């Protein structure tokens, strides 16, 4: 695990966060195969995403897997996207976002049962890490979309909040990564514009009051101050790398203020215990220093 530790006194917090994750492993050798938009929780996960054609639609395709080559591998023949995760950690969620393209069709929907069409399918395989068994657990699911004829009146569909929040998360990670790439080329103003534009989009979102969106906005404001020639090489670059990875992979990192929502209960409790011990230690040292000062010979002579 990679942690960017800006302050030395955060080393122990990052260590116990990593240890808390190891103590929470519940599954291994996970394999997920799918044909569309997919959300998976797993460890040692293999996720294969494959679009599905039907009598109504032909040419459904996945045009993008967020995270790029660092998460997904594309099989151009099978038209599948494959991702892997090393560990499944109890109490944590791993959400994957892919962009699916639905082609135009001139066919008319005549029957009610034709309107709900499967455009993607998926399955997940894993082995339990809690029991020494070779049994493989499998979960399958489909992604369906309801269609209507162009001449029919349809109600506007409600935006799915969970999908939108995850889209903001992965797009925010991409914006951070793009800002780092531009900053590496000394194109600081362009990098700042990438982050500023996305921050403005978040401020105009109907979900701007959500904690995850508020956290992204505040984080972007902090990072914008680091994308300057005098700060970037010393701090900004490492910070951008860490934050982009944290959000794209939903990775907990105590050093990143707004990533605590990616921690599970064990990690949160262990990090908080470490912080409490340091606070108590600092309080004791402070009291002891005051005591020694009051009763020191120099103090008595004065």
């Amino acid at each position: 695990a990679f942690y960017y530790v800006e302050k030395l006194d955060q080393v122990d917090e990052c260590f116990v966060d990593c240890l808390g994750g190891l103590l929470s492993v519940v599954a291994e050798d996970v394999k997920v195969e799918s044909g569309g938009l997919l959300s998976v929780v797993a460890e040692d996960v293999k996720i294969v995403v494959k679009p599905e054609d039907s009598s109504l639609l032909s040419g459904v395709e996945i045009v993008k897997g967020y995270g790029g080559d660092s998460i997904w591998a594309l099989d151009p023949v099978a038209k599948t996207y494959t991702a892997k995760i090393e560990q499944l950690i109890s109490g944590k969620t791993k959400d994957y976002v892919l962009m699916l393209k639905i082609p135009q069709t001139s066919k008319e929907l005549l029957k009610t049962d034709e309107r709900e069409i499967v455009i993607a399918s998926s399955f997940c395989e894993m082995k339990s890490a809690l029991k020494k068994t070779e049994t493989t657990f499998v979960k399958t699911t489909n992604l369906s979309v309801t269609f209507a004829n162009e001449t029919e009146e349809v109600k506007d569909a409600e935006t799915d909040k969970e999908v939108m929040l995850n889209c903001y998360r992965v797009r925010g990670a991409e914006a951070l990564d793009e800002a780092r790439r531009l900053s590496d080329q000394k194109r600081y103003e362009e990098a700042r514009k990438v982050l500023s534009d996305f921050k403005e989009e978040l401020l105009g979102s109907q979900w701007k009051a959500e904690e995850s969106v508020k956290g992204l906005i505040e984080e972007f404001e902090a990072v914008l101050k680091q994308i300057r020639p005098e700060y970037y090489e010393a701090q900004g670059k490492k910070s951008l790398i860490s934050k982009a990875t944290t959000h794209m992979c939903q990775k907990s990192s105590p050093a990143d203020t707004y990533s605590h929502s990616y921690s599970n209960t064990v990690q949160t409790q262990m990090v908080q215990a470490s912080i409490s011990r340091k606070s108590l230690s600092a309080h004791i040292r402070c009291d002891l220093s005051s005591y020694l000062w009051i009763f020191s010979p120099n103090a008595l002579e004065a």
Side-chain angles (χ1 to χ4, degrees):
F2 170 78
Y3 291 88
Y4 168 56
V5 185
E6 186 175 345
K7 299 177 181 178
L8 188 60
D9 63 358
Q10 292 177 323
V11 171
D12 57 336
E13 297 170 25
C14 293
F15 175 76
V16 297
D17 178 81
C18 183
L19 183 61
L22 292 174
L23 293 174
S24 306
V25 174
V26 297
E28 60 186 1
D29 294 330
V30 185
K31 176 183 179 182
V32 182
E33 296 195 4
S34 169
L37 189 62
L38 176 65
S39 294
V40 179
V41 182
E43 168 198 77
D44 286 339
V45 186
K46 183 179 179 183
I47 308 162
V48 182
V49 188
K50 178 174 178 282
E52 299 287 344
D53 286 336
S54 66
S55 58
L56 179 71
L57 290 174
S58 178
V60 177
E61 63 176 319
I62 300 165
V63 296
K64 180 176 182 176
Y66 281 89
D69 295 342
S70 63
I71 293 180
W72 301 100
L74 170 63
D75 183 336
V77 177
K79 298 181 180 179
T80 59
Y81 275 71
T82 301
K84 294 182 180 180
I85 308 174
E86 294 181 357
Q87 293 179 330
L88 169 66
I89 296 178
S90 175
K92 296 186 72 169
T93 298
K94 291 291 184 181
D95 298 290
Y96 295 87
V97 181
L98 299 100
M99 188 180 295
L100 197 66
K101 179 181 178 181
I102 302 174
Q104 291 183 334
T105 179
S106 58
K107 295 182 179 179
E108 186 178 2
L109 296 167
L110 301 176
K111 300 177 181 178
T112 304
D113 57 3
E114 289 182 334
R115 296 172 182 265
E116 189 168 317
I117 300 170
V118 175
I119 60 173
S121 62
S122 66
F123 76 84
C124 172
E125 292 181 353
M126 70 180 73
K127 293 179 181 178
S128 173
L130 304 179
K131 299 179 181 179
K132 292 186 177 180
T133 175
E134 294 300 318
T135 302
T136 299
F137 300 94
V138 180
K139 172 67 177 177
T140 62
T141 187
N142 293 323
L143 173 64
S144 300
V145 174
T146 302
F147 290 83
N149 292 313
E150 190 175 5
T151 55
E152 294 177 325
E153 290 186 10
V154 261
K155 295 181 180 178
D156 291 335
E158 292 185 7
T159 304
D160 188 296
K161 182 173 79 171
E162 184 178 359
V163 171
M164 286 303 301
L165 294 181
N166 274 297
C167 283
Y168 285 145
R169 172 180 62 80
V170 295
R171 288 182 58 217
E174 282 197 343
L176 290 164
D177 197 53
E178 175 66 7
R180 177 196 57 77
R181 187 186 66 80
L182 291 169
S183 298
D184 284 347
Q185 301 172 19
K186 313 293 185 187
R187 296 157 64 183
Y188 298 114
E189 288 305 315
E190 292 177 63
R192 289 172 55 80
K193 187 177 187 307
V194 168
L195 297 183
S196 296
D197 288 349
F198 190 68
K199 187 189 79 170
E200 290 304 312
E201 180 182 339
L202 294 177
L203 287 170
S205 167
Q206 64 174 306
W207 312 113
K208 63 183 178 181
E210 293 293 323
E211 288 301 317
S212 60
V213 177
K214 288 164 60 178
L216 275 174
I217 292 171
E218 293 179 40
E219 196 162 70
F220 273 40
E221 290 174 346
V223 170
L224 280 165
K225 298 176 183 178
Q226 298 177 337
I227 303 182
R228 301 183 186 279
E230 62 270 30
Y231 298 118
Y232 180 69
E233 291 298 335
Q235 275 187 312
K237 182 172 184 175
K238 302 179 186 68
S239 180
L240 283 168
I241 293 173
S242 176
K243 294 179 190 302
T245 303
T246 290
H247 292 301
M248 185 61 76
C249 301
Q250 293 173 297
K251 176 182 173 295
S252 58
S253 177
D256 288 327
T257 309
Y258 307 109
S259 70
H260 294 308
S261 60
Y262 303 142
S263 303
N264 67 1
T265 303
V266 174
Q267 290 172 304
T268 301
Q269 290 176 345
M270 291 180 69
V271 170
Q272 288 301 321
S274 176
I275 294 173
S276 297
R277 284 195 297 270
K278 285 191 295 186
S279 299
L280 178 61
S281 175
H283 179 70
I284 292 173
R285 284 199 303 271
C286 181
D287 287 349
L288 182 58
S289 297
S290 300
Y291 177 83
L292 292 174
W293 182 83
I294 291 171
F295 290 97
S296 67
N298 292 337
L300 290 175
E301 289 175 4

